Amino acid sequence: MTQSRYTGRFAPTPSGFLHFGSLVAALASWLDARAVDGRWQLRMEDTDPPREMPGARDAILQTLERYGLEWDGEVAFQSQRFDAYASVVDRLFNMGLAYACTCSRKQLEAYGGIYPGFCRNAGHAREGAAIRIRVPELTYRFTDRVQGEYQQHLGREVGDFVIQRRDGLYAYQLAVVLDDAWQGITDIVRGADLLDNTPRQLYLQELLGFTQPRYLHVPLIVQPDGHKLGKSYRSPPLQADQATPLLLRALRALGQDTPAQLASATPAQVLAVARAQWRPERIAQRTTVPEADLH
Ligand code: GLU
Ligand code: ZN
């Protein structure tokens, strides 16, 4: 039996610029693929036009290029995949695996994000309703390459979840699973903020007959004051002229060595060395970036 060739991906959402946390995820994903001569694909997760920031797509592509994170083939755009998503939603709905939900946000407020199943057997029409997938009363588990064993009981901890919103837009959970399978992704390397989304994705993969990829969730970058570095909190866009120092900081956040002579290297040179020395087993489950490495 031949093992399919490593295919990784980076899947930014164009709701903002890339920040340091996204660089850490992109770099880990790129290195993990390139260290084994694997492929690395880029997918723009532009499923939500109202939340897209004008100019963000181009800026993201440009930043990746400037930082030397080259991808293979064409960029995939989720906004061009709506027909594929629609046919899967139709199929799941027609099979009774998904159903229409008319609950308002207000009605669900008291349930802490776990859907209480109000519309499960209501037989609502699809028009103007969200579509939810029925989850089984089962625990989904996997072994993450950095975070170790992770498990979640879908019925108790998540509940039936939305795959298509009331406004017709497709949910991340559905799009990501369909596109990872469509692009032949064998390895998913991404931020640990998505760890608790993974069991939902495992369930959809199982339901749709897809192969389960391997997972590596890189630590969230926590600032010295305890705040997560994210889109909403003090996350300056990555500057093109800071590529080398920021790549070195990102490597340190991933537990990798950064030989002193790399300080004056080009981004491509930094990446070539990092690729040859890549040690994913040195990634910590949690990282606090020293104050000095944030500015
Ligand atoms: N689009 C997601 C983000 O920007 C990443 C999704 C994924 O890697 O599965 O956080
Ligand atoms: Zn409902």
Side-chain angles (χ1 to χ4, degrees):
M1 240 174 57
T2 53
Q3 176 97 50
S4 58
R5 184 175 174 197
Y6 186 116
T7 305
R9 52 52 157 197
F10 181 55
T13 303
S15 55
F17 296 119
L18 294 183
H19 52 80
F20 186 70
S22 26
L23 176 65
V24 172
L27 177 62
S29 171
W30 188 92
L31 286 170
D32 203 52
R34 298 311 193 197
V36 294
D37 287 320
R39 292 172 53 76
W40 195 65
Q41 309 208 324
L42 191 61
R43 178 169 76 229
M44 208 46 85
E45 298 210 319
D46 54 349
T47 49
D48 194 346
R51 289 186 55 188
E52 202 165 320
M53 191 184 86
R57 293 175 184 212
D58 290 345
I60 288 170
L61 299 180
Q62 208 176 61
T63 301
L64 291 170
E65 273 170 2
R66 297 263 171 82
Y67 279 60
L69 298 168
E70 283 173 11
W71 58 90
D72 294 308
E74 300 284 305
V75 181
F77 289 92
Q78 290 194 323
S79 54
Q80 291 170 12
R81 294 268 301 150
F82 290 175
D83 289 350
Y85 307 154
S87 73
V88 172
V89 173
D90 283 352
R91 190 148 54 90
L92 294 172
F93 186 83
N94 292 334
M95 290 171 78
L97 290 165
Y99 60 88
C101 166
T102 56
C103 296
S104 66
R105 201 170 291 240
K106 187 128 193 74
Q107 272 174 290
L108 300 178
E109 218 163 52
Y111 298 90
I114 301 167
Y115 182 66
F118 292 149
C119 300
R120 245 192 172 200
N121 302 308
H124 293 308
R126 286 186 64 169
E127 285 66 39
I131 306 296
R132 288 185 186 270
I133 188 103
R134 291 176 199 278
V135 301
E137 292 298 323
L138 289 174
T139 297
Y140 278 75
R141 56 185 97 239
F142 70 105
T143 305
D144 187 87
R145 289 169 56 202
V146 165
Q147 308 296 332
E149 301 297 318
Y150 187 81
Q151 62 174 56
Q152 197 177 50
H153 188 281
L154 285 186
R156 283 199 298 269
E157 298 179 62
V158 180
D160 298 343
F161 59 90
V162 172
I163 55 173
Q164 185 174 17
R165 288 166 19 182
R166 183 191 295 270
D167 59 10
L169 294 177
Y170 297 95
Y172 158 69
Q173 309 296 350
L174 179 82
V176 73
V177 165
L178 293 178
D179 288 348
D180 284 332
W182 173 63
Q183 291 183 290
I185 304 302
T186 63
D187 288 79
I188 294 176
V189 177
R190 63 185 177 191
D193 53 331
L194 292 165
L195 196 59
D196 66 357
N197 285 231
T198 307
R200 270 170 276 182
Q201 296 171 18
L202 299 182
Y203 169 55
L204 285 175
Q205 287 157 7
E206 178 187 83
L207 199 60
L208 297 166
F210 299 149
T211 312
Q212 185 181 314
R214 282 180 294 263
Y215 288 95
L216 190 166
H217 286 86
V218 300
L220 290 187
I221 305 304
V222 181
Q223 309 201 68
D225 62 5
H227 277 95
K228 175 189 151 190
L229 198 69
K231 285 185 181 113
S232 50
Y233 182 77
R234 262 203 268 160
S235 44
L238 299 171
Q239 301 301 321
D241 63 352
Q242 293 296 304
T244 291
L246 288 178
L247 282 169
L248 293 172
R249 286 172 191 188
L251 284 168
R252 286 194 289 274
L254 290 165
Q256 310 296 304
D257 284 337
T258 53
Q261 68 271 22
L262 288 182
S264 52
T266 64
Q269 289 166 336
V270 173
L271 290 177
V273 171
R275 170 185 184 165
Q277 300 185 344
W278 177 236
R279 299 283 176 276
E281 65 280 5
R282 289 171 60 171
I283 304 173
Q285 289 183 357
R286 266 172 272 288
T287 315
T288 304
V289 172
E291 189 79 55
D293 259 2
L294 280 168
H295 310 286

